């Protein structure tokens, strides 16, 4: 397996990441998920990507179970926050409340004290970006999140997020766009 630095950070990640969007907690039972994670680890994959929204949190739970017993410092855990995780008014978005509560819930489901990369799953026009970035900064300073990033933000949104991250002195290191042969945005 090849390993690369993520963005301009010192974080080294496997060139291939293991994601569990449509599988864990939904299409695979926990035993099959654990077997897949073991095969990924055996192949040298150290980077695992998930989100609080996947299978209503069950994907994070299944990944946490599958990785239990693995030395935490030997892997990189990435998860995301923003998309709806419940029916409540504060169960979605990038408000301080949802980010902090979402992070604590993700840590509990993943069975860890921190995540390596915590990403805003989408941009939230209803919340001032300053509020979002301050919440991320607090999680970084508390040691619950090592790096922050975004998923499917536009170039202007990324520029403003990077500017605020620089002001707050937090490591905004990743952008996870959707990219495929079919969807060419």
């Amino acid at each position: 397996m090849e390993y690369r630095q993520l963005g301009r950070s010192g974080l080294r990640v496997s060139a291939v990441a293991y994601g569990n969007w449509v599988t864990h907690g939904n299409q695979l039972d926990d035993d099959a998920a654990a077997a897949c994670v073991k095969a990924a680890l055996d192949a040298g994959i150290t980077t695992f990507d998930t989100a609080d929204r996947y299978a209503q949190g069950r994907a994070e739970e299944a990944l946490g179970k599958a990785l239990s017993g693995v030395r935490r410092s030997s892997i990189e855990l990435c998860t995301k926050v923003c998309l709806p995780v419940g029916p409540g008014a504060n169960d979605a978005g990038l408000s301080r409340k949802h980010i902090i509560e979402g992070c604590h819930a993700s840590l509990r489901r993943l069975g860890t004290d921190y995540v390596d990369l915590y990403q805003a799953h989408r941009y939230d026009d209803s919340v001032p970006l300053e509020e979002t970035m301050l919440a991320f900064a607090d999680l970084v300073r508390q040691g619950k999140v090592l790096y922050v990033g975004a998923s499917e933000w536009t170039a202007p949104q990324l520029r403003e997020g990077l500017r605020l991250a620089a002001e707050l002195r937090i490591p905004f290191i990743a952008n996870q766009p959707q990219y495929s042969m079919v969807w060419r945005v």
Side-chain angles (χ1 to χ4, degrees):
M1 178 63 59
E2 291 181 36
Y3 300 90
R4 301 180 179 149
Q5 298 215 192
L6 187 58
R8 294 183 183 168
S9 76
L11 182 64
R12 294 186 55 80
V13 296
S14 52
V16 175
Y18 181 100
N20 71 351
W21 172 34
V22 294
T23 53
H24 293 188
N26 195 19
Q27 295 177 340
L28 296 178
D29 64 30
D30 286 353
D31 290 339
C36 290
V37 167
K38 182 181 181 329
L41 289 165
D42 290 346
I45 294 173
T46 60
T47 307
F48 295 85
D49 177 66
T50 189
D52 58 358
R53 167 75 172 171
Y54 300 165
Q56 291 74 47
R58 292 187 312 275
E60 286 181 330
E61 288 174 359
L63 184 59
K65 286 178 191 172
L67 290 169
S68 67
V70 173
R71 188 171 50 91
R72 178 62 182 90
S73 62
S74 69
I75 59 170
E76 305 82 42
L77 283 175
C78 312
T79 194
K80 298 179 245 5
V81 63
C82 183
L83 299 178
V85 293
N90 290 301
D91 288 340
L94 295 176
S95 70
R96 177 177 185 79
K97 178 176 176 61
H98 185 65
I99 289 170
I100 301 297
E101 289 176 354
C103 183
H104 291 160
S106 289
L107 294 174
R108 185 181 66 255
R109 286 189 293 265
L110 289 165
T112 189
D113 295 332
Y114 70 95
V115 292
D116 298 278
L117 177 63
Y118 198 41
Q119 297 182 99
H121 210 156
R122 297 291 187 278
Y123 191 84
D124 186 351
D125 286 314
S126 71
V127 176
L129 187 55
E130 292 82 2
E131 178 177 342
T132 296
M133 297 307 289
L134 280 168
F136 282 147
D138 286 344
L139 291 169
V140 168
R141 288 184 178 83
Q142 293 168 14
K144 295 176 182 176
V145 170
L146 301 185
Y147 300 92
V148 297
S151 178
E152 300 200 34
W153 285 19
T154 65
Q157 293 164 345
L158 283 168
R159 271 193 297 277
E160 186 61 12
L162 286 165
R163 184 191 67 75
L164 286 168
E167 276 182 27
L168 294 166
R169 300 185 53 82
I170 59 170
F172 192 119
I173 64 162
N175 177 37
Q176 187 180 38
Q178 185 178 122
Y179 181 81
S180 74
M181 295 288 290
V182 178
W183 196 71
R184 307 291 274 192
V185 176

